Amino acid sequence: MKIDPNSSKDLSAQIATAIRDAIVAGDLIVDQRLPSEAELADQFEVSRPTVREALKRLAAQSLIRTQRGATGGAFVNRLRYAEAYTQQVTTSTLLLSMNAVSFDVACEARYALERACAPMSAQRRTPDQLATMRAEIHRQSQPDLSDEAFCASDVTFHRALVDGAGNKVLSYQLAGAVEAMQPLMNMITFSARSREAIVALHTELADALTDKDAARTDQTLVKLEAYTRELAQNVADARARKAAEKESTTA
Amino acid sequence: MKIDPNSSKDLSAQIATAIRDAIVAGDLIVDQRLPSEAELADQFEVSRPTVREALKRLAAQSLIRTQRGATGGAFVNRLRYAEAYTQQVTTSTLLLSMNAVSFDVACEARYALERACAPMSAQRRTPDQLATMRAEIHRQSQPDLSDEAFCASDVTFHRALVDGAGNKVLSYQLAGAVEAMQPLMNMITFSARSREAIVALHTELADALTDKDAARTDQTLVKLEAYTRELAQNVADARARKAAEKESTTA
DNA sequence: AATTTTCATTTGTCATACGTTTAAAGGTTT
DNA sequence: AAACCTTTAAACGTATGACAAATGAAAATT
């Protein structure tokens, strides 16, 4: 592992890349201890703070973990689903919020992905997952629920549906998409009537999954997508009307 | 933004989290300049190296960028698809390689996701994307192509298919899944006959998409998934046989 | 033998200093 | 007055040295 002191990039960035490449290539294996910060500083011919900055970069990506003490040091971390999942949600959320992604595009992506695991979910869903869905449906029926709590429950419901496919890779990939949508969903104010409609569709989904009816699950997801987009459209229209009114009174 | 000096976590980790939360919450907007390192050190009542470690953590996630010079500093970075995509691929690749994900699970996830965008791709694919697919098919027909180059071409082909859906969010989510599979795919040695079969299926996919035939696209993807799993199974069987032989000669 | 103490190692944090980059302010020349 | 050069100050990048805190292992003690 070598670095170029004359490169335009930071030394810490170069060192981080070098170590990351070694991990990805398998030269450093899980739970293996890296040399101490002092040793790394010697090897790369830089100071300890520079090495530390590089290690912090790797720690931010959960590639290493550090331990203090006599037998401490930096260790190659086994990337777990939970960590990867958290990172993915953060990244996806920021990506959507920073790039003016339209509600329709995000919604289309989300339901396309969800429909992808519907057939598997209909076949493999566990009683536990069905119970989670029923519990969330019940929660969503509470009249005094805040809009945000309603959305959070919606996410939990859909995660149970996705997890029902019994494929961890699929769950991991979709979790990001479903959860990243939440801020966009939060912009919608749910009327009592629209909540009722959504609860009805959720119930239909749970029923279809209970019956292992893949086709009906798929159809219900299509209905739910259409209804969600209709709701968002109404909100957008209402805003546009309000803006127009304000314009006319000002003029 | 406050931190707890008595927490078990590193100060730099706490500071990074505080700033990240501010970005996610929208308190810090894109291109906004953060206070200088010295000012942050004063605000958080820590030293500059500690602040720098926190900033490097954020830089590793592409949340900020830094500039040197008189008007330099740390700026909130607009997370672009390309950056998010790179991070996602790294994370997904490591997740798969470190967690002994079976080929079948990864393969199932990949094709489920790909089938999710097949209908949209059949409708919206551009001539450019069709041309890319044809070009990759042609490349895959070259007999002197290495296995790795064949896999890389396979990835490009499937990315064109995914991009054909014309949904950036979908492309972003799927790119990780498709690309992360590549190391697993590389374990397969493609015989001349199996390459021929794959090229034929790819041609069928391109034809179906050219005809905007969603159903045929979907069916072909199912066939391709089945064939891919069959190939992987053969490789696994061959390995098992070899191991058994070795066992018997040793014993 | 069990317990306590000591000790060396390693990360976490701090203070300080200096080099490098960069843009803007100021001065000089045409 | 305009264009060009010089200076300067701000900010990051890097280095050095030091000390604190954690931690496990070795040594000493009971």
Side-chain angles (χ1 to χ4, degrees):
Chain A
M1 293 196 290
K2 282 280 166 69
I3 57 173
D4 172 19
N6 299 322
S7 164
S8 62
K9 280 193 221 158
D10 295 6
L11 292 178
S12 70
Q14 289 183 58
I15 294 170
T17 303
I19 297 177
R20 172 161 48 243
D21 288 348
I23 294 175
V24 173
D27 297 336
L28 297 168
I29 60 175
V30 167
D31 291 335
Q32 185 172 339
R33 183 177 172 284
L34 271 63
S36 73
E37 293 174 356
E39 284 173 307
L40 285 173
D42 278 350
Q43 280 183 31
F44 287 111
E45 298 182 321
V46 298
S47 68
R48 191 156 86 94
T50 302
V51 167
R52 281 183 62 80
E53 286 177 11
L55 293 179
K56 294 314 164 199
R57 291 178 117 109
L58 298 173
Q61 298 178 296
S62 305
L63 290 178
I64 62 168
R65 61 177 186 279
T66 54
Q67 242 180 354
R68 295 174 72 167
T71 57
F75 297 83
V76 178
N77 192 35
R78 159 160 276 126
L79 193 58
R80 296 177 190 290
Y81 280 95
E83 290 156 343
Y85 167 80
T86 310
Q87 284 181 222
Q88 225 227 310
V89 170
T90 308
T91 305
S92 298
T93 304
L94 281 168
L95 188 65
L96 294 195
S97 72
M98 284 180 173
N99 286 278
V101 172
S102 77
F103 187 88
D104 274 356
V105 168
C107 200
E108 178 179 86
R110 175 185 158 169
Y111 279 99
L113 295 171
E114 217 163 309
R115 284 175 64 194
C117 59
M120 291 177 235
S121 205
Q123 209 179 343
R124 303 180 196 158
R125 82 289 175 289
T126 66
D128 258 16
Q129 286 150 354
L130 288 175
T132 301
M133 295 169 88
R134 301 287 183 190
E136 294 303 326
I137 289 173
H138 182 258
R139 187 198 307 273
Q140 290 158 19
S141 311
Q142 304 297 322
D144 56 344
L145 204 67
S146 72
D147 275 346
E148 285 197 3
F150 184 81
C151 282
S153 170
D154 185 71
V155 168
T156 308
F157 176 90
H158 285 279
R159 272 211 68 189
L161 191 158
V162 168
D163 289 340
N167 184 311
K168 283 202 158 195
V169 176
L170 210 46
S171 291
Y172 156 71
Q173 294 284 352
L174 265 79
V178 172
E179 204 137 319
M181 280 276 300
Q182 203 176 359
L184 286 173
M185 294 288 289
N186 273 332
M187 301 190 321
I188 302 180
T189 323
F190 293 103
S191 66
R193 203 173 49 207
S194 60
R195 282 194 190 184
E196 244 175 68
I198 289 172
V199 166
L201 286 167
H202 282 177
T203 306
E204 197 174 333
L205 275 175
D207 288 347
L209 288 171
T210 305
D211 299 345
K212 302 198 172 185
D213 187 338
R216 193 166 150 222
T217 305
D218 188 69
Q219 287 157 22
T220 310
L221 280 172
V222 171
K223 280 195 265 180
L224 190 54
E225 179 183 356
Y227 187 66
T228 306
R229 288 167 91 152
E230 191 187 315
L231 280 179
Q233 192 60 52
N234 289 346
V235 171
D237 287 349
R239 277 208 194 131
R241 254 201 314 281
K242 222 170 199 169
E245 272 172 34
K246 199 175 180 183
E247 185 92 8
S248 63
T249 50
T250 313
Chain B
M1 293 195 290
K2 283 280 165 67
I3 56 172
D4 171 18
N6 299 324
S7 164
S8 64
K9 278 191 222 158
D10 296 5
L11 292 177
S12 70
Q14 290 183 57
I15 294 170
T17 302
I19 297 177
R20 173 162 47 244
D21 287 349
I23 294 175
V24 173
D27 297 336
L28 295 168
I29 59 175
V30 167
D31 291 336
Q32 186 173 339
R33 183 180 172 282
L34 270 64
S36 72
E37 293 174 357
E39 284 173 309
L40 286 172
D42 279 350
Q43 281 181 33
F44 287 111
E45 297 182 322
V46 297
S47 68
R48 191 156 86 91
T50 302
V51 167
R52 280 182 62 80
E53 286 179 10
L55 293 180
K56 294 312 165 200
R57 292 179 118 107
L58 298 174
Q61 298 177 295
S62 304
L63 289 179
I64 61 168
R65 63 177 185 280
T66 52
Q67 249 179 356
R68 297 177 71 169
T71 57
F75 297 83
V76 178
N77 193 34
R78 158 160 277 128
L79 193 58
R80 297 178 189 289
Y81 280 96
E83 289 156 343
Y85 167 79
T86 309
Q87 284 181 221
Q88 227 227 307
V89 170
T90 308
T91 305
S92 298
T93 305
L94 280 169
L95 187 65
L96 294 194
S97 73
M98 284 181 173
N99 285 278
V101 172
S102 77
F103 188 87
D104 275 355
V105 168
C107 200
E108 178 180 85
R110 175 185 158 168
Y111 279 99
L113 295 172
E114 217 164 309
R115 283 175 65 194
C117 60
M120 290 177 234
S121 206
Q123 210 180 341
R124 303 182 196 157
R125 84 289 177 286
T126 64
D128 258 16
Q129 285 150 356
L130 288 175
T132 300
M133 296 169 85
R134 301 289 183 189
E136 294 304 327
I137 290 174
H138 182 258
R139 187 197 310 271
Q140 289 158 19
S141 311
Q142 305 296 323
D144 55 344
L145 205 65
S146 72
D147 274 346
E148 284 197 5
F150 185 81
C151 282
S153 170
D154 186 70
V155 168
T156 308
F157 177 88
H158 285 278
R159 273 210 68 189
L161 191 159
V162 168
D163 289 341
N167 185 312
K168 283 203 157 193
V169 176
L170 211 46
S171 291
Y172 156 71
Q173 294 284 353
L174 284 180
V178 173
E179 205 137 319
M181 280 276 300
Q182 202 175 0
L184 285 174
M185 293 289 288
N186 273 333
M187 300 189 323
I188 303 179
T189 322
F190 294 102
S191 67
R193 202 173 50 208
S194 60
R195 282 195 192 185
E196 243 175 68
I198 288 173
V199 165
L201 285 167
H202 281 177
T203 306
E204 197 175 333
L205 274 175
D207 288 347
L209 288 171
T210 305
D211 297 345
K212 303 197 172 185
D213 188 339
R216 194 167 150 221
T217 306
D218 188 68
Q219 287 158 21
T220 311
L221 280 172
V222 171
K223 279 194 267 180
L224 191 52
E225 179 182 356
Y227 187 66
T228 307
R229 288 166 90 153
E230 190 187 315
L231 280 180
Q233 192 60 52
N234 288 346
V235 171
D237 286 350
R239 278 209 193 129
R241 253 200 315 281
K242 222 169 199 169
E245 273 173 33
K246 199 174 179 184
E247 185 90 9
S248 63
T249 52
T250 312

